[in-house]
Amino acid sequence: MKVFLGIGSNLSPRKQTIRKALKELSLIGSLEKVSPLYETPALLPPEAPPDWNNPFLNLAVQMEFSEEPLVL
């Protein structure tokens, strides 16, 4: 079945974290398409500490996965 996933990280190093996620996904399914990488600001609750304000890197992935979505 085709699966579409949104992947994002604000944990440093952000690019390496996303690369690792893509590598892990490629071990369990077939990556068919990967969107461009986008940076977005963090959405914070009003009382969030300043160190939570780290921008996210995000992308979307289309992949083929042979199991049920909950397994993924």
Side-chain angles (χ1 to χ4, degrees):
M1 82 175 52
K2 285 203 187 307
V3 179
F4 298 86
L5 300 173
I7 298 173
S9 179
N10 71 341
L11 300 176
S12 188
R14 298 177 302 166
K15 283 185 183 178
Q16 288 86 341
T17 302
I18 289 176
R19 280 189 193 118
K20 182 178 178 187
L22 291 173
K23 182 178 179 182
E24 294 291 324
L25 287 172
S26 72
L27 296 175
I28 61 170
S30 172
L31 297 179
E32 295 178 342
K33 294 181 182 178
V34 178
S35 76
L37 199 58
Y38 292 93
E39 184 174 77
T40 57
L43 297 175
L44 302 173
E47 303 300 321
D51 63 333
W52 285 13
N53 196 12
N54 299 318
F56 279 79
L57 287 181
N58 304 285
L59 56 79
V61 176
Q62 175 184 328
M63 63 182 290
E64 188 68 32
F65 187 65
S66 59
E67 302 287 335
E68 292 298 313
L70 289 177
V71 174
L72 183 59

